[in-house]
Amino acid sequence: MTSSHYNNVIQWTLCNMGTIFQDDSVFAARTVFKNCGVAFPEGNCTDVLSTLMSNDYVGWRMCTIEEAQMCANEGKAALGISEEQVVIVKPEEEKVLVKSTFVNPKARSGFAGTIDVMKNKRESEMQFFAYSAAGTTTYPSIYATVCTVTTCKLTEYQMSSNARYIFNYLRLFGFTKQAACGVLGNMQVESYRMDPGIWEVLNNTKHGYGLVQWTPATKFIDWAAECKIIAKSTAESVNSLTYHYPEKLMDAELDFLIFNTTNKEFFPPSNSSDVEPTIKTFAQYKASTLSPKVLAKVFHDYFERSNDLTSISKRMEYADHWYSIF
């Protein structure tokens, strides 16, 4: 798990838990770590502290506050705990490769923070722990190349690894399995083998780019430059990211996809006969349990809106395939 993914898990979970109170910090931590795939002891703060102090609870170990921060920066679960409160250690901001633009980074700040925040919470009263089990949830490798459809060199295995990463990401942000696979079916058509570095026309920012082929490419590239993900709004800058930090590119594109779809870029077609009656909004799409084939068509009609209507059957077929895999 990377620092950016770990940070997004923390932020998303705390922003979507509803109303909780300060004495529920152990509940908040348990929910976050569950979403990270990390075991966490039962009971109140005192119970949890006692269990973790045994140094024999499925991979958790005592550590210093500095070690806890290092682990968080690497995307590993870490926390500080007293008999009254649990605080999740977050990656330091400069260590987070991609900052989320669609959740409030200050949400539930009492439950998560860097060690600087911890020191303001009377560090001497807290014991720190990091999770280092061999069975820690891992995320698939990311593969990206600077290419077009005719020059893409990703293998079937590499495409599957990217697909798994995308699927995990979408599920984390509330997509049903069917809805996530509907997106994957479209991405496979748009980016050939789900290669985030792919160009419709090599290095031509007036044409499509990336997993969903944002057109013009400057839609994504300008946003990435504005968010300081790349140095400049140029083909050269985004290609450098592809070569050196493919995971950072993948996370940025997925962040931008969510940003797009939650900011009025997802809407039914004007032809009412093409509208799926149960889906009018992106929130309804994410929550839908219609078949992945139907949701592949919905995602095409409501977001991709390509001129290649002959590809819809392929998008539906691919969505069904990923549903059978995942």
Side-chain angles (χ1 to χ4, degrees):
M1 184 181 290
T2 65
S3 60
S4 60
H5 207 107
Y6 176 54
N7 199 54
N8 280 348
V9 171
I10 293 171
Q11 292 186 10
W12 181 85
T13 304
L14 295 180
C15 284
N16 287 276
M17 287 177 62
T19 302
I20 52 179
F21 302 96
Q22 190 64 28
D23 59 357
D24 288 327
S25 64
V26 69
F27 171 72
R30 184 174 291 112
T31 305
V32 168
F33 292 133
K34 178 181 178 181
N35 284 340
C36 290
V38 172
F40 193 73
E42 294 297 325
N44 58 28
C45 283
T46 301
D47 298 329
V48 172
L49 179 59
S50 176
T51 300
L52 294 180
M53 287 289 289
S54 70
N55 257 359
D56 190 34
Y57 184 79
V58 288
W60 286 97
R61 62 177 179 82
M62 284 189 288
C63 64
T64 66
I65 188 171
E66 292 79 13
E67 289 172 327
Q69 186 66 75
M70 287 176 60
C71 286
N73 291 347
E74 294 172 359
K76 299 174 183 177
L79 61 84
I81 182 171
S82 68
E83 292 187 350
E84 298 178 348
Q85 185 182 24
V86 179
V87 182
I88 303 159
V89 183
K90 291 176 59 178
E92 295 170 293
E93 287 301 308
E94 64 271 17
K95 301 295 184 180
V96 179
L97 296 178
V98 180
K99 295 182 176 63
S100 175
T101 60
F102 47 88
V103 295
N104 178 2
K106 295 181 180 179
R108 314 291 185 202
S109 58
F111 299 123
T114 62
I115 59 171
D116 289 336
V117 175
M118 301 289 185
K119 288 179 177 178
N120 292 332
K121 292 179 178 294
R122 300 179 71 181
E123 173 191 348
S124 62
E125 294 183 3
M126 302 193 97
Q127 175 60 56
F128 291 85
F129 297 87
Y131 188 73
S132 58
T136 301
T137 299
T138 58
Y139 283 79
S141 298
I142 300 303
Y143 300 93
T145 58
V146 176
C147 66
T148 64
V149 168
T150 58
T151 61
C152 179
K153 302 295 185 184
L154 293 193
T155 65
E156 291 282 341
Y157 170 81
Q158 290 170 331
M159 176 178 68
S160 295
S161 184
N162 283 0
R164 170 63 73 176
Y165 188 94
I166 296 165
F167 178 80
N168 288 345
Y169 179 101
L170 296 177
R171 292 287 281 152
L172 171 66
F173 283 100
F175 285 68
T176 62
K177 181 179 176 181
Q178 294 93 325
C181 290
V183 175
L184 289 175
N186 279 274
M187 285 182 173
Q188 189 171 350
V189 169
E190 294 290 335
S191 55
Y192 183 52
R193 290 197 166 176
M194 300 191 202
D195 189 332
I198 198 166
W199 294 86
E200 181 182 7
V201 178
L202 190 63
N203 298 334
N204 190 325
T205 58
K206 295 180 180 179
H207 291 270
Y209 179 80
L211 291 171
V212 296
Q213 288 294 284
W214 285 283
T215 305
T218 48
K219 281 187 176 181
F220 169 71
I221 294 173
D222 288 351
W223 173 86
E226 182 180 345
C227 294
K228 308 300 183 185
I229 296 166
I230 56 177
K232 297 179 181 179
S233 182
T234 62
E236 291 76 12
S237 191
V238 77
N239 286 344
S240 178
L241 193 66
T242 308
Y243 286 126
H244 301 293
Y245 302 103
E247 186 174 277
K248 185 176 179 180
L249 175 67
M250 177 70 86
D251 282 349
E253 290 192 22
L254 294 174
D255 275 8
F256 189 54
L257 175 67
I258 301 298
F259 178 78
N260 282 167
T261 48
T262 54
N263 283 274
K264 300 182 180 180
E265 290 289 326
F266 186 95
F267 53 85
S270 56
N271 184 348
S272 60
S273 65
D274 291 336
V275 174
E276 167 54 50
T278 62
I279 298 176
K280 297 291 193 298
T281 66
F282 178 60
Q284 289 172 335
Y285 175 84
K286 283 173 52 179
S288 179
T289 55
L290 294 173
S291 75
K293 284 187 174 182
V294 169
L295 293 177
K297 185 178 187 304
V298 171
F299 192 81
H300 171 270
D301 293 348
Y302 288 40
F303 182 76
E304 293 287 358
R305 301 188 287 275
S306 77
N307 294 321
D308 183 12
L309 299 183
T310 61
S311 71
I312 293 178
S313 61
K314 277 291 185 184
R315 296 169 194 263
M316 297 170 71
E317 176 188 333
Y318 292 150
D320 214 33
H321 166 75
W322 294 115
Y323 188 78
S324 70
I325 296 295
F326 297 142

